């Protein structure tokens, strides 16, 4: 892959856009993401820990902002090295600042498609669709739904929903979405494949196939973006896919650094981990350089968190340099966090998270409750889509009750023209909810005042 293609100055669906000299595309991209409704909704979506009364617990929006700052630092450091090595010339958009800006914008959007209640929300949506497709009736009749659509809804993926939002639904609907620059769209896409492909090939074949990141409906858009960026195409009997944009590894590293380290800080704040357990986990990364005995417990944890993030950034930058040739030819099949010098320390943090954070009682209660809320919403709204399908997708033919529900929930049927698009509209509705709105809607549909 070549940097002059990977950093091409072009907007999705707007190739003739005049780039303003004092306002690079990546700056505008970050603004479009931050000022969007889906980004604002992240403020009331679970990160890992339930949304406690304690204001210091992370939610998805704060996590996205912090990830963007770490990503910016990673991009600046890697960009500086690329300039020194002559891989980019340091002029125009081939600069460290461009790399930092692109990674920053992609990080801001990286969780924008996640549904309410964290990863348990994804599982709840996928399980609900699987059960309905197993029943093979009405809206979910196999003969009316494409195989690829069934595969992607039964394994619902927030990454693919994120690409759908930024490249299709938000702002210029069905005309490029936010119309972000192509490099930002490339850096956003951790899993450049459809469900039908990743389902059969998987992570063992290539790290970018661990999950899927594009729905069937947006695949043509992503292919166009990938070809213009010069991404390497993969071929298989299960469909085409692409190798990652090199900057994806920096976006992924920023996310890994933030959730691994900051989940520990949240666990301390929530009372799930003792201070010493957090310090012991972070000490091999932080390599503390001062006496912290006179600090409060909260200050000590903050100090170790800050030091750890800085050291992790340095280590991931070195891992990028060491694996540069493999990354550029599409053969790097790991993450920077797993190949950096701090890998063993981060592996220990992951073990602690699985053993003590992810199994915490309050989190488990949230997951149980969240799954039931999402199922309740889907059970309550799906009859309206069944009604639409039975009336050849004519909104005017809906029953009076369903028209009332549509009005009460502000349901958007503009793209519901067949079973495939109708089912995705249903998924759009529930995945776009905040935790609070999902609970409110569940009560409304069940007649609970």
């Amino acid at each position: 892959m070549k940097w002059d293609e990977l950093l091409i100055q072009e907007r999705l669906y707007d190739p003739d856009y005049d780039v303003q000299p004092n306002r690079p595309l990546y700056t505008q991209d970050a603004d479009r993401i931050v000022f969007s409704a889906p980004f604002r909704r992240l403020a009331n979506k679970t990160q890992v820990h339930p949304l406690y009364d304690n204001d210091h617990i992370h939610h998805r929006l704060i996590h996205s902002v912090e990830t963007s700052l770490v990503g910016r630092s990673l991009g600046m450091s890697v960009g500086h090295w690329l300039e020194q090595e002559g891989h980019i010339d340091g002029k125009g958009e081939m600069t460290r600042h461009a790399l930092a800006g692109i990674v920053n914008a992609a990080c801001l959007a990286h969780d924008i498609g996640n549904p309410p209640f964290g990863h348990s929300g994804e599982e709840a949506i996928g399980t609900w669709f699987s059960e309905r497709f197993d029943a093979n009736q009405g809206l979910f009749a196999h003969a009316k739904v494409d195989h690829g659509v069934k595969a992607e809804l039964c394994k619902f993926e927030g990454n693919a929903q994120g690409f759908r939002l930024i490249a299709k639904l938000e702002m210029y609907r069905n005309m490029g979405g936010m119309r972000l620059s192509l490099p930002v769209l490339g850096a956003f896409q951790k899993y450049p494949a459809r469900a039908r492909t990743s389902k059969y090939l998987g992570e063992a074949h290539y790290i970018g196939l661990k999950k899927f990141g594009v729905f069937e409906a947006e695949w043509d858009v992503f292919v166009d973006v990938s070809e213009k960026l010069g991404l390497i195409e993969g071929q298989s009997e299960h469909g085409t896919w692409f190798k990652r944009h090199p900057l994806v590894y920096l976006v992924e590293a920023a996310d890994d650094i933030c959730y691994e380290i900051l989940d520990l800080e949240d666990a301390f704040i929530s009372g799930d981990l003792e201070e010493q357990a957090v310090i012991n986990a972070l000490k091999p990364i932080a390599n503390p350089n001062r006496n912290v005995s006179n600090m409060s417990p909260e200050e000590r944890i903050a100090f170790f968190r800050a030091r750890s993030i800085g050291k992790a950034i340095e280590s991931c930058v070195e891992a990028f340099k060491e694996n540069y040739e493999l990354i550029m030819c599409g053969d790097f099949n790991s993450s920077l966090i797993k190949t950096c010098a701090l890998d063993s320390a981060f592996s220990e943090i992951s073990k602690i998270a699985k053993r003590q954070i992810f199994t915490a009682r309050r989190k488990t209660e949230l997951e149980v409750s969240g799954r039931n809320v999402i199922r309740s919403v889907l059970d309550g709204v799906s009859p309206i889509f069944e009604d639409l399908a039975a009336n050849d997708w004519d909104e005017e033919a809906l029953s009076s009750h369903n028209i009332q529900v549509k009005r009460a929930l502000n349901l958007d049927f503009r793209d519901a023209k067949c079973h495939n698009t109708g089912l995705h509209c249903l998924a759009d509705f529930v995945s776009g909810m905040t935790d609070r709105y999902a609970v409110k809607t569940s009560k409304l549909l069940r007649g609970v005042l």
Side-chain angles (χ1 to χ4, degrees):
M1 290 177 277
K2 302 175 182 178
W3 286 111
D4 59 346
E5 292 180 308
L6 294 167
L7 302 179
I8 183 175
Q9 289 299 285
E10 183 178 322
R11 281 201 177 286
L12 181 63
Y13 276 57
D14 199 2
D16 298 322
Y17 181 84
D18 242 358
V19 181
Q20 301 174 34
N22 298 317
R23 192 159 158 72
L25 292 185
Y26 54 80
T27 299
Q28 294 184 4
D29 291 346
D31 290 351
R32 291 184 178 193
I33 294 164
V34 168
F35 283 98
S36 72
F39 187 78
R40 289 197 302 275
R41 289 197 292 266
L42 293 176
N44 194 37
K45 289 194 179 187
T46 300
Q47 170 61 15
V48 169
H49 297 269
L51 298 179
Y52 285 80
D53 292 335
N54 193 315
D55 292 336
H56 291 186
I57 292 292
H58 285 78
H59 48 63
R60 289 276 175 185
L61 190 147
I62 291 298
H63 167 71
S64 297
V65 171
E66 290 176 344
T67 299
S68 75
L69 300 180
V70 172
R72 184 177 64 189
S73 294
L74 286 164
M76 189 66 74
S77 294
V78 167
H80 177 65
W81 177 76
L82 291 172
E83 287 180 0
Q84 286 184 319
E85 296 296 308
H87 297 303
I88 59 176
D89 61 17
K91 300 176 182 177
E93 291 308 316
M94 302 284 285
T95 68
R96 72 189 79 174
H97 300 287
L99 261 75
I102 290 166
V103 175
N104 174 76
C107 285
L108 283 170
H110 85 281
D111 269 351
I112 204 167
N114 282 36
F117 307 111
H119 290 299
S120 65
E122 287 179 312
E123 294 174 9
I125 294 171
T127 299
W128 186 89
F129 274 105
S130 295
E131 292 171 357
R132 292 305 179 99
F133 282 124
D134 287 344
N136 190 23
Q137 295 176 354
L139 183 62
F140 301 86
H142 294 180
K144 295 292 186 73
V145 184
D146 290 347
H147 171 72
V149 173
K150 285 189 287 186
E152 64 197 17
L153 290 176
C154 289
K155 192 70 175 177
F156 185 80
E157 179 54 56
N159 290 287
Q161 187 67 24
F163 187 80
R164 178 174 169 84
L165 275 169
I166 63 178
K168 182 175 184 177
L169 298 182
E170 188 66 18
M171 290 182 65
Y172 297 95
R173 192 180 183 90
N174 296 318
M175 297 179 64
M178 294 185 188
R179 292 190 176 178
L180 304 181
S181 62
L182 304 191
V184 168
L185 290 171
F188 169 88
Q189 192 50 264
K190 286 172 65 176
Y191 306 110
R194 293 170 288 181
R196 66 169 71 195
T197 306
S198 64
K199 176 181 177 181
Y200 292 102
L201 297 180
E203 185 179 13
H205 191 87
Y206 177 61
I207 189 174
L209 297 172
K210 178 182 179 181
K211 301 179 182 180
F212 69 96
V214 191
F215 291 130
E216 298 284 341
E218 290 76 53
W219 181 245
D220 287 346
V221 175
F222 183 70
V223 169
D224 183 53
V225 170
S226 300
E227 290 177 347
K228 288 179 178 177
L229 289 170
L231 302 187
I232 299 168
E233 184 177 324
Q235 295 280 355
S236 80
E237 60 181 308
H238 303 294
T240 60
W241 47 283
F242 290 87
K243 298 295 182 77
R244 288 174 161 186
H245 190 295
L247 297 185
V248 167
Y249 293 99
L250 302 184
V251 174
E252 180 179 54
D255 187 25
D256 289 344
I257 290 168
C258 285
Y259 79 73
E260 292 277 18
I261 294 172
L262 291 160
D263 283 357
L264 291 179
E265 185 175 28
D266 278 352
F268 165 72
I269 293 170
S270 66
D272 293 329
L273 286 179
E274 297 292 334
E275 175 193 359
Q276 198 56 50
V278 175
I279 288 177
N280 290 344
L282 293 180
K283 188 175 288 185
I285 301 173
N287 190 21
N289 61 352
R290 60 181 294 184
N291 186 341
V292 296
S293 60
N294 63 333
M295 294 182 177
S296 70
E298 292 77 12
E299 289 170 340
R300 280 192 290 271
I301 295 295
F303 170 77
F304 274 88
R305 175 254 299 156
R307 286 279 300 179
S308 295
I309 289 174
K311 293 297 182 181
I313 289 171
E314 293 174 5
S315 190
C316 285
V317 169
E318 291 305 310
F320 188 95
K321 296 177 186 178
E322 292 166 5
N323 293 282
Y324 179 72
E325 295 301 329
L326 290 174
I327 289 170
M328 295 303 290
C329 67
D331 290 336
F332 184 57
N333 205 28
S334 185
S335 65
L336 297 179
I337 208 80
K338 289 183 178 179
T339 54
C340 75
L342 298 173
D343 171 46
S344 59
F346 277 107
S347 294
E348 286 303 312
I349 291 176
S350 295
K351 291 176 184 176
I352 293 171
K354 290 177 182 177
R355 188 172 61 246
Q356 294 176 259
I357 297 177
F358 298 155
T359 58
R361 179 174 179 177
R362 181 70 180 87
K363 184 178 188 304
T364 303
E365 290 173 350
L366 169 89
E367 291 177 347
V368 172
S369 175
R371 283 191 175 96
N372 289 332
V373 166
I374 285 175
R375 292 181 70 86
S376 172
V377 170
L378 288 167
D379 285 343
V381 174
S382 60
I384 306 174
F385 287 84
E386 294 278 8
D387 193 1
L388 268 176
N391 287 285
D392 199 26
W393 304 98
D394 180 7
E395 289 185 49
E396 301 299 321
L398 287 172
S399 70
S400 59
H401 172 69
N402 284 336
I403 288 174
Q404 280 188 317
V405 177
K406 173 187 179 295
R407 187 163 57 245
L409 299 180
N410 195 28
L411 292 171
D412 190 340
F413 295 141
R414 282 178 292 172
D415 293 332
K417 306 299 182 185
C418 66
H419 284 63
N420 294 320
T421 55
L423 289 171
H424 262 297
C425 284
L426 176 58
D428 290 339
F429 175 68
V430 71
S431 67
M433 290 177 159
T434 63
D435 294 13
R436 184 182 298 118
Y437 184 64
V439 171
K440 178 182 177 181
T441 301
S442 173
K443 290 180 178 179
L444 171 69
L445 293 169
R446 289 184 290 115
V448 179
L449 300 178

